Amino acid sequence: MVTIAEYATEHGISPRRARTLAQQGRVPARRIGRAWVLDDDATTSPVTGTRPMSPRTRVMFLRALSDQSVRGLTGSDRRRIAGYLNRLRQAEHPAALLRAWFRGAVTPSGFSLGELLVRAAMDGDDDIVSERLARPQRRFLNSPDRLARVVADERAIHGFTRAELAARAGTTEHDVKAVESGEAIDSLVTVLQVINALDVHPLAVPTAAVRDSA
């Protein structure tokens, strides 16, 4: 058996918060006398062995999480932060993942999206984190430059090569490259295919991105 204090340490929350979650039935704990305990198989974490982020990585990750973008990052930093975002989006228990990554860190106190989500995770408000991350990626793509940036960012976050994205979108690698470069291509349908293949829901698409828009 595992004590509620041990569970709290493993998941990066305070013992008091863990006891509150147990009392609310949100942690599979039971009372023995005055103590809360959990069976070993009830404490299995989806993030066992996940290492905390370095302070530098946390700064980059919080900005990327707030913007849902890896703009401004290059090389290994871009690949690493994009990978973190993708893993978080795909996680069955994203709040637990955030707690593992920010274990031992000072809880962010700001009000950007990233800081709010990390704070919710640290407070044990897992449903808030899951609900927010489950929302569709709705973006205003109202200029060729914005369209290019979002497609390039989302391709990096998904971990696709241009050839892989082209195959998913049913188009050519040349067209994907053109969209990411802000160049006009022949068909609005092709632009939408690329966007949809990245699970992005456009709130606007620039007509300037299409040659035949006139």
Side-chain angles (χ1 to χ4, degrees):
M1 290 187 294
V2 176
T3 68
I4 200 71
E6 291 169 334
Y7 176 89
T9 298
E10 179 185 352
H11 288 77
I13 60 177
S14 70
R16 180 178 180 181
R17 181 61 181 171
R19 285 193 296 272
T20 298
L21 294 176
Q23 291 165 354
Q24 294 173 345
R26 295 170 63 185
V27 167
R30 54 194 172 91
R31 293 196 72 157
I32 297 181
R34 299 178 62 184
W36 286 95
V37 298
L38 301 89
D39 294 331
D40 290 337
D41 60 358
T43 64
T44 301
S45 169
V47 293
T48 298
T50 298
R51 296 173 56 188
M53 292 177 174
S54 69
R56 177 175 178 272
T57 298
R58 286 171 183 148
V59 171
M60 292 188 292
F61 174 75
L62 281 174
R63 183 171 63 245
L65 180 57
S66 297
D67 297 341
Q68 290 296 302
S69 167
V70 289
R71 70 173 181 268
L73 299 176
T74 59
S76 61
D77 285 341
R78 182 179 174 89
R79 290 190 296 274
R80 184 169 67 258
I81 299 303
Y84 279 129
L85 288 177
N86 186 49
R87 185 177 173 189
L88 186 67
R89 289 181 183 178
Q90 301 300 321
E92 184 179 358
H93 302 287
L97 198 54
L98 288 175
R99 285 192 289 271
W101 287 339
F102 282 78
R103 187 165 62 246
V106 175
T107 302
S109 59
F111 294 93
S112 68
L113 174 61
E115 290 167 313
L116 290 170
L117 288 178
V118 170
R119 194 154 64 245
M122 292 302 193
D123 288 342
D125 294 323
D126 293 26
D127 291 344
I128 291 175
V129 177
S130 296
E131 187 277 330
R132 180 58 184 80
L133 290 172
R135 293 179 188 175
Q137 294 291 321
R138 300 185 185 278
R139 304 293 182 86
F140 279 101
L141 308 177
N142 51 356
S143 74
D145 287 346
R146 186 181 294 268
L147 172 65
R149 186 177 69 242
V150 169
V151 168
D153 279 354
E154 287 296 322
R155 181 171 67 80
I157 292 168
H158 282 75
F160 297 150
T161 64
R162 282 177 175 158
E164 289 169 338
L165 176 55
R168 286 176 60 91
T171 187
T172 67
E173 188 174 350
H174 174 79
D175 281 339
V176 171
K177 183 178 180 180
V179 171
E180 289 188 357
S181 301
E183 300 172 7
I185 62 174
D186 292 332
S187 170
L188 177 61
V189 171
T190 300
V191 174
L192 293 175
Q193 287 174 322
V194 170
I195 296 169
N196 290 336
L198 292 168
D199 299 319
V200 172
H201 298 253
L203 299 178
V205 177
T207 55
V210 183
R211 288 195 188 96
D212 62 5
S213 61

